[in-house]
Amino acid sequence: MRVLVTSDYRALSLQAAQIVAEAVRLKPDLVLCLPTGNTPLGMYEDLVRRHRQEGLDFSRVRTFNLDEYIGLGPDHPGSYRAYMRLHFFDHVNVAEQNIHIPNETESDGYEQAILEAGGLDLLIVGIGANGHIAFNEPGSSFASRTRAVALATETIANARRHFDNEADVPLTAVTVGIRTILEARQVLLLASSADKAGVVERAIRGPVSESLPASALQLHPNVLAILDQAAAVSFR
Ligand code: F6R
């Protein structure tokens, strides 16, 4: 796995956006697999800027999100669909019919849609404090594909701050699997802040194990990890 250490979160975000922008310019109908969460916010912001200022054209790009909570209406502000609209889709020209977000009833259909699109060209992931990628929590099989999963206690606790009511905090989600992730042609792993330093080091340098889902990325031939200084203490 190649590791790129950037000076700070802004540099990480610009670097990630640059890689996405170049891939879109090279292949205008790129198949992109996209994360939510805090880490990619700066990347989305810079992609929106590039669309506005440089005319970066997403009109033929196909997008597949990594995951979505189960049980929230599509307009629920805590849903990943709402996040994607707020931070990206509403500000660029991705065509509505090219947007794919997994849902509980169609998880096999999601894998089929990825296949029909020609497979994932570029997949971007963050990493959870417990080593999850997408919502593949510790213990997930490396052979897993898109499916409904129970969220780890720690993941549920972290999600709490995004929901007004305790009762709305999702306990389950639909996520692409580890196998789905490993089949993408290129993977970008983004990690920012000191909170992630320990788990990032174990994911990149530690043993490959289903107890640390992100370690599966060591099995992929084309992964670039972009870390800011704080997340990269052991890589300087
Ligand atoms: C989000 C996702 C999650 C996050 C991870 C890190 O679509 O799949 O695995 O990437 O929980 O989240 P942040 O970036 O908020 O630290």
Side-chain angles (χ1 to χ4, degrees), residues 40-60:
L41 286 171
M43 175 190 77
Y44 288 128
E45 194 184 316
D46 195 56
L47 287 172
V48 169
R49 182 196 64 77
R50 285 167 181 273
H51 171 69
R52 289 186 177 146
Q53 293 179 4
E54 300 167 8
L56 182 63
D57 181 14
F58 292 93
S59 61
R60 294 174 56 204

Side-chain angles (χ1 to χ4, degrees), residues 1-221:
M1 192 180 319
R2 288 172 301 141
V3 178
L4 178 68
V5 180
T6 62
S7 51
D8 56 16
Y9 175 69
R10 182 172 154 72
L12 172 155
S13 301
L14 299 187
Q15 188 68 51
Q18 165 88 19
I19 290 169
V20 174
E22 271 169 22
V24 170
R25 287 200 185 99
L26 266 173
K27 185 179 176 198
D29 63 347
L30 192 78
V31 182
L32 259 180
C33 191
L34 296 172
T36 61
N38 289 326
T39 314
L41 286 171
M43 175 190 77
Y44 288 128
E45 194 184 316
D46 195 56
L47 287 172
V48 169
R49 182 196 64 77
R50 285 167 181 273
H51 171 69
R52 289 186 177 146
Q53 293 179 4
E54 300 167 8
L56 182 63
D57 181 14
F58 292 93
S59 61
R60 294 174 56 204
V61 168
R62 280 82 51 84
T63 69
F64 289 84
N65 267 77
L66 287 169
D67 41 22
E68 175 62 289
Y69 293 123
I70 290 176
L72 303 179
D75 295 324
H76 193 292
S79 74
Y80 284 170
R81 186 179 288 277
Y83 168 108
M84 290 304 296
R85 280 203 205 110
L86 181 66
H87 298 294
F88 190 53
F89 294 146
D90 281 356
H91 313 288
V92 295
N93 63 337
V94 178
E96 190 64 38
Q97 73 270 19
N98 289 341
I99 294 173
H100 303 84
I101 312 249
N103 74 64
E104 191 182 5
T105 50
E106 291 170 353
S107 45
D108 291 345
Y110 204 65
E111 293 280 331
Q112 188 58 34
I114 291 172
L115 263 179
E116 282 166 13
L120 302 171
D121 290 310
L122 175 57
L123 177 144
I124 302 148
V125 271
I127 179 171
N130 66 356
H132 72 208
I133 42 174
F135 277 141
N136 296 284
E137 301 285 17
S140 297
S141 163
F142 285 180
S144 55
R145 293 193 173 277
T146 305
R147 67 208 185 287
V149 294
L151 297 173
T153 312
E154 193 178 354
T155 305
I156 296 166
N158 281 337
R160 176 68 184 88
R161 65 199 143 99
H162 299 294
F163 292 86
D164 292 339
N165 305 311
E166 178 89 50
D168 285 356
V169 183
L171 307 178
T172 53
V174 187
T175 181
V176 299
I178 302 279
R179 173 57 44 200
T180 324
I181 292 172
L182 293 179
E183 283 176 358
R185 292 182 188 95
Q186 183 184 356
V187 176
L188 279 188
L189 167 67
L190 309 182
S192 162
S193 90
D195 307 347
K196 300 282 173 72
V199 75
V200 162
E201 185 187 8
R202 283 187 287 128
I204 296 178
R205 293 213 177 126
V208 174
S209 160
E210 288 181 351
S211 64
L212 193 79
S215 68
L217 296 174
Q218 293 181 37
L219 304 173
H220 190 287

